[in-house]
Amino acid sequence: MSTAVLHCLPSGAADARRLAERLGLPLQDIAIHRFPDGEIRVTVGSAAPASIIYASLDRPNDKLIAILFAAEALRREGAKRLVLVAPYLCYMRQDAAFHPGEAISQRTVGRLLAATVDRVVTVDAHLHRTADIEAVFPGIEADNLSAMPAIAGALAGIDSATIVAGPDAESRPWVSDLATRLGLACAVGRKIRRGDRSVEIDFAGQPAVAGRPVLLVDDIVSSGGTLTTCARTLTEAGAATIDAVITHALFPPEMTGEFARAGIRSVRSTSSVAHPTNAIPLDAVLAAALRRELT
Amino acid sequence: MSTAVLHCLPSGAADARRLAERLGLPLQDIAIHRFPDGEIRVTVGSAAPASIIYASLDRPNDKLIAILFAAEALRREGAKRLVLVAPYLCYMRQDAAFHPGEAISQRTVGRLLAATVDRVVTVDAHLHRTADIEAVFPGIEADNLSAMPAIAGALAGIDSATIVAGPDAESRPWVSDLATRLGLACAVGRKIRRGDRSVEIDFAGQPAVAGRPVLLVDDIVSSGGTLTTCARTLTEAGAATIDAVITHALFPPEMTGEFARAGIRSVRSTSSVAHPTNAIPLDAVLAAALRRELT
């Protein structure tokens, strides 16, 4: 028996398989049986001393419960160390009570996972007000990997006139990292809220995009509103072409039509969340962080 | 501000309202907003030193996550004591690994809730191999109330020739308790497994049901298979009528047609799980157990 095994939830099987191959690890499915009454039964394969669970946490509630069950079974079957690989980490955006009585779900999920596994490995976690990923997971190891090396690799040979653009200050880290890696100029917008539901994005003071190809970058696209608004602004500003690249594609696939109408020629995402726009595998990035588990 | 408040998840609002009125407590909704990407945002009302959460745990996974979030918010807003009222307690049936690698979900859910609240109040928990409810919730108070007083109350005036019947040994506690309360004879069947999917129920050696009204009793009806098989056996044995009364109705409402074809004239359930068969409110039973929180 190997000293380490990769276990995966059904939803991540294809990505987990690539990762297991790269690491030379056996891959075992975590089987989930759904009863008609809404309960689930979780069955794991044989545990190794180091058991790595691959479970990206989009549509997270069912998966969180499945991870708790899988961890219980793996510990009982002999796992001494549990590592959760969650390329997309859920609930990171609710990191404060924005209104009275609101749950700070980031905190709850952080504590829950910290009580369940010994290490969490994630990618481009959306940590807005939280200093770093270790603060989310009290008492355990946690790694917030960057997808930017993988994204930059996939964009090798990009037109050197391209401007890397992000919609708002929150996107700046990804935008400036990627622009530096690709040796390109960058432009970061500013969100201006006009009333409750109307947002504009302003690129005043940023490098002009007129006549140039634009690569629009963000970490998460969920409702798609920010990406659409930003693309309209860039189109109006005369961008020659707009292509988008994102780490976590949470939006409904049918939204690509709306993106196209806003002037976006293509959307590419990493394999973090299984999605029709997936074009950039993360297995090399994840494997590098997991190699030390294989001793 | 009251020293105690009842908070309820959206699914249990009607039953929680009756309970709050009986206890003279303010009722506050736990609001759950569902984002398109599958995450939820939970918002609670003002916390009291004793905050009671009403959340029956049928279709449990989303609700378990919502309870964790609500508990975090209530603690932060000043709740010193959290009591979970879950008339139906999920995952109690998976109390062992029946096959290699199976998670013992009873254990995981028990520990999860024990780490979240200070007391759990439930009704007719399905504890097959577990000594008592306190063993499920290490370190906190737990009460496993009986629905039988409420059910007996609803059946007052029942035909004294009625036989109270249960399908198998697991139903014996409910059957004999209810028969004693109503002063009726009882009959408990024996499950005989014939191959993988075929089960028969045998009433050999039990009081004869021929020509007599039968009251079929069980704690949980989920797939409905046991109830149907049992009713067919009782019909063949010549039961005059068959009425069923159960604590937790987890079966899909459209299954009542199948019950009717098996000879069941009526199905009544307690308010534990919101269901078209609900006929027996549990608020008196729950209120009696909660009164000591109101000091």
Side-chain angles (χ1 to χ4, degrees):
Chain A
M1 189 66 203
S2 173
T3 57
V5 166
L6 188 66
H7 304 265
C8 74
L9 290 190
S11 56
D15 297 300
R17 189 165 309 280
R18 279 202 313 275
L19 181 58
E21 279 167 15
R22 189 176 278 269
L23 288 168
L25 286 183
L27 178 67
Q28 296 189 345
D29 293 329
I30 297 172
I32 300 183
H33 175 75
R34 287 178 195 279
F35 295 101
D37 63 13
E39 298 192 2
I40 57 173
R41 182 183 58 218
V42 169
T43 308
V44 300
S46 1
S51 287
I52 305 170
I53 301 173
Y54 184 96
S56 203
L57 288 170
D58 54 303
R59 315 223 140 256
N61 293 1
D62 256 346
K63 292 181 189 166
L64 286 169
I65 299 294
I67 288 168
L68 299 186
F69 291 165
E72 185 275 331
L74 289 169
R75 297 268 189 210
R76 192 162 27 79
E77 303 265 340
K80 300 294 174 229
R81 178 170 170 85
L82 285 183
V83 178
L84 172 65
V85 179
Y88 175 67
L89 194 55
C90 56
Y91 289 114
M92 290 303 108
R93 287 165 289 177
Q94 186 82 30
D95 59 352
F98 302 106
H99 300 96
E102 264 181 25
I104 304 178
S105 21
Q106 184 196 76
R107 195 177 291 178
T108 302
V109 167
R111 286 178 190 160
L112 181 66
L113 293 177
T116 305
V117 300
D118 304 292
R119 183 186 177 199
V120 172
V121 175
T122 188
V123 178
D124 288 348
H126 192 89
L127 303 175
H128 190 192
R129 293 162 198 82
T130 311
D132 59 51
I133 194 76
E134 305 245 335
V136 176
F137 297 105
I140 66 163
E141 295 170 68
D143 299 75
N144 185 14
L145 310 176
S146 172
M148 294 308 135
I151 293 179
L155 293 167
I158 192 171
D159 184 339
S160 64
T162 304
I163 291 194
V164 181
D168 53 22
E170 288 181 46
S171 70
R172 181 179 293 280
W174 331 115
V175 170
S176 75
D177 181 337
L178 193 61
T180 305
R181 286 176 192 275
L182 295 169
L184 300 175
C186 70
V188 175
R190 201 163 55 91
K191 268 190 189 168
I192 302 166
R193 205 160 277 283
R194 305 222 184 272
D196 235 20
R197 301 182 61 86
S198 165
V199 168
E200 286 181 19
I201 289 171
D202 183 15
F203 280 92
Q206 299 291 308
V209 299
R212 297 174 68 172
V214 172
L215 180 70
L216 192 47
V217 179
D218 213 346
D219 59 339
I220 304 181
V221 174
S222 184
S223 77
T226 299
L227 203 70
T228 307
T229 305
C230 188
R232 281 205 201 99
T233 306
L234 293 165
T235 301
E236 282 165 23
T241 55
I242 305 172
D243 296 286
V245 63
I246 60 179
T247 306
H248 311 292
L250 296 176
F251 59 93
E254 59 272 22
M255 188 166 280
T256 45
E258 200 170 317
F259 292 154
R261 282 189 293 280
I264 299 176
R265 184 172 67 170
S266 74
V267 180
R268 274 172 288 184
S269 62
T270 77
S271 57
S272 152
V273 176
H275 197 273
T277 58
N278 286 173
I280 302 160
L282 289 177
D283 45 305
V285 169
L286 296 171
L290 291 169
R291 252 193 203 105
R292 67 182 168 90
E293 305 293 341
L294 280 57
T295 49
Chain B
M1 189 64 204
S2 172
T3 57
V5 165
L6 189 66
H7 304 264
C8 75
L9 290 191
S11 55
D15 297 299
R17 189 166 309 282
R18 279 202 313 276
L19 181 58
E21 278 166 15
R22 191 176 277 269
L23 288 167
L25 286 183
L27 178 68
Q28 297 190 344
D29 294 329
I30 297 172
I32 300 183
H33 175 76
R34 287 178 195 280
F35 294 101
D37 63 13
E39 297 193 4
I40 58 173
R41 183 183 56 220
V42 168
T43 309
V44 300
S46 2
S51 285
I52 305 171
I53 302 173
Y54 185 95
S56 203
L57 288 170
D58 54 302
R59 314 222 141 259
N61 293 1
D62 257 345
K63 291 180 189 166
L64 286 169
I65 300 294
I67 288 169
L68 299 186
F69 291 164
E72 185 276 329
L74 289 168
R75 297 269 189 209
R76 191 161 28 80
E77 304 266 338
K80 301 292 175 227
R81 179 172 169 83
L82 285 183
V83 178
L84 172 65
V85 179
Y88 175 67
L89 193 55
C90 55
Y91 288 114
M92 290 302 108
R93 288 167 288 178
Q94 186 84 30
D95 59 352
F98 302 106
H99 299 96
E102 264 181 27
I104 304 177
S105 21
Q106 185 198 73
R107 193 176 292 177
T108 302
V109 168
R111 287 178 190 160
L112 180 67
L113 293 177
T116 305
V117 300
D118 302 292
R119 182 186 178 201
V120 172
V121 175
T122 188
V123 178
D124 289 348
H126 193 89
L127 302 175
H128 189 192
R129 293 162 198 82
T130 311
D132 59 49
I133 194 77
E134 305 244 335
V136 176
F137 297 105
I140 66 164
E141 294 170 70
D143 299 75
N144 184 15
L145 310 176
S146 173
M148 295 308 135
I151 292 179
L155 293 168
I158 193 170
D159 184 338
S160 65
T162 304
I163 290 194
V164 182
D168 54 22
E170 288 180 47
S171 70
R172 181 179 294 280
W174 331 114
V175 170
S176 75
D177 180 338
L178 193 61
T180 305
R181 287 176 190 274
L182 295 168
L184 300 174
C186 71
V188 175
R190 200 164 55 90
K191 266 190 189 168
I192 303 166
R193 206 160 275 283
R194 305 222 185 270
D196 235 20
R197 302 183 61 86
S198 165
V199 169
E200 285 181 19
I201 289 170
D202 183 15
F203 279 91
Q206 299 291 305
V209 299
R212 297 174 67 173
V214 172
L215 181 71
L216 191 46
V217 179
D218 213 345
D219 58 339
I220 304 181
V221 174
S222 183
S223 77
T226 300
L227 203 69
T228 307
T229 305
C230 188
R232 281 207 199 98
T233 306
L234 293 165
T235 301
E236 283 165 22
T241 56
I242 304 171
D243 296 287
V245 63
I246 59 180
T247 307
H248 311 293
L250 297 177
F251 60 92
E254 59 273 20
M255 189 166 281
T256 44
E258 200 169 318
F259 292 155
R261 282 190 292 279
I264 299 176
R265 187 172 64 172
S266 74
V267 180
R268 275 172 290 185
S269 62
T270 77
S271 57
S272 151
V273 175
H275 197 272
T277 58
N278 284 174
I280 303 159
L282 290 176
D283 46 305
V285 168
L286 296 170
L290 291 168
R291 234 165 230 123
R292 66 182 169 90
E293 305 293 343
L294 280 56
T295 50

